[in-house]
Amino acid sequence: MTEPAAAPIGVFDSGMGGLTVLRALRAALPGEDFLYLGDTARLPYGTKSPDTVQRYAVQAARILVERGIKALVVACNTASAVALDALTERYAPLPVFGVVEPGAEAAAALSGRGRVLVLATESTVRGGAYQRALLARRPGLTVLARPCPLLVALAEEGRHAGPLVDLALADYLRGMLPGDRGAVSSVLLGCTHFPVFRPALEAILGRDGATVVDSAETTAAALARRVGGADLPAARGGAGRLSLLATDGAERFRRVGRYFLGEPIPSVELVDL
Ligand code: DGL
């Protein structure tokens, strides 16, 4: 059996979007090995029922657990929102991390008594996990949430900037931009795909507009604080290695995934859940 310190950290998502979380994790923990699974055959999770997402999440996590990981990061916001407790219970004592709590923590800390807008998938918005996590930390906040399915589609197409992106963002933020009566003070990116739109979003919000909070970055920071602790030993030196698994479309994963990961993708192993 692999010694815990030398084992990789498992990361899973419904597809390629979670590579934005992996990118942040690798930047925060450059010495760690990562094993990533994208369930591309069953994407999107964001329009499916909580029961289905939970079942898929348990199956996806099982593959990683069977290969020997020392921690699991649920990069998918939709799965974090509905399946985190089920995963934590089923795979205990494996440390399991979701993206919702760290994202909410950072947005609540920044937002005072302001108005926070959560941009996410339909299921994440409907389940209300971000809304609850934000209000639990700051009951004085006004929390708004908008499902943005078009942004997932645009990101998957590799369109991260340009007129279509600006149109979609302007529409999703209608009435909440600086100068509007409903202007928000922060925007929380509650979906794996949305960090790629950060430059376009910040341009629309303007210099004095809302602060953008990226749950990928805050999750990476939360994990980095835990690595090296008693239940999660750190890797022992050397540059971290990366292995990638997908359930469908290895070629597309390599081609489009590089824009989410921010570096070329060497190889992708196809697996069946
Ligand atoms: N990974 C999903 C999330 O972060 C977005 C894509 C999907 O709907 O599966 O919510």
Side-chain angles (χ1 to χ4, degrees), residues 48-237:
K48 300 201 166 72
S49 69
D51 282 355
T52 299
V53 173
Q54 230 181 71
R55 185 158 44 85
Y56 285 1
V58 166
Q59 290 168 353
R62 186 186 308 138
I63 290 263
L64 299 174
V65 170
E66 281 170 3
R67 290 192 179 213
I69 53 173
K70 63 181 177 186
L72 174 69
V73 178
V74 185
C76 179
N77 288 253
T78 307
S80 289
V82 304
L84 197 69
D85 291 346
L87 291 168
T88 307
E89 204 174 296
R90 179 171 290 242
Y91 296 112
L94 183 76
V96 178
F97 299 83
V99 289
V100 172
E101 294 295 327
E105 179 83 51
L110 276 173
S111 307
R113 294 181 61 79
R115 292 162 61 81
V116 184
L117 171 63
V118 181
L119 302 180
T121 65
E122 202 182 309
S123 303
T124 303
V125 169
R126 205 176 336 107
Y130 269 113
Q131 294 93 315
R132 284 191 297 279
L134 283 160
L135 289 172
R137 286 167 174 83
R138 287 214 182 229
L141 284 176
T142 301
V143 182
L144 308 148
R146 285 229 164 137
C148 308
L150 274 181
L151 293 184
V152 174
L154 284 168
E156 289 277 324
E157 287 289 317
R159 292 186 188 230
H160 302 159
L164 272 181
V165 169
D166 291 344
L167 259 179
L169 286 173
D171 193 61
Y172 287 134
L173 273 88
R174 190 185 303 271
M176 294 184 247
L177 290 168
D180 291 336
R181 276 186 60 193
V184 292
S185 47
S186 50
V187 178
L188 174 50
L189 304 179
C191 175
T192 46
H193 289 58
F194 298 173
V196 298
F197 300 117
R198 190 171 183 157
L201 179 61
E202 284 178 337
I204 286 181
L205 291 168
R207 229 176 357 159
D208 304 321
T211 313
V212 178
V213 180
D214 178 352
S215 57
E217 275 173 12
T218 53
T219 301
L223 183 68
R225 284 194 295 274
R226 280 280 293 280
V227 170
D231 64 338
L232 189 43
R236 299 218 182 87

Side-chain angles (χ1 to χ4, degrees), residues 19-20 22-27 30 34 240-242 244 253-267:
L19 295 171
T20 58
L22 183 63
R23 178 183 194 161
L25 291 169
R26 273 164 59 81
F34 288 94
R241 285 164 306 181
L242 180 57
L244 296 152
F253 193 106
R254 288 186 61 222
R255 185 165 35 87
V256 182
R258 64 180 297 174
Y259 299 110
F260 292 100
L261 186 61
E263 59 181 290
I265 293 182
S267 67

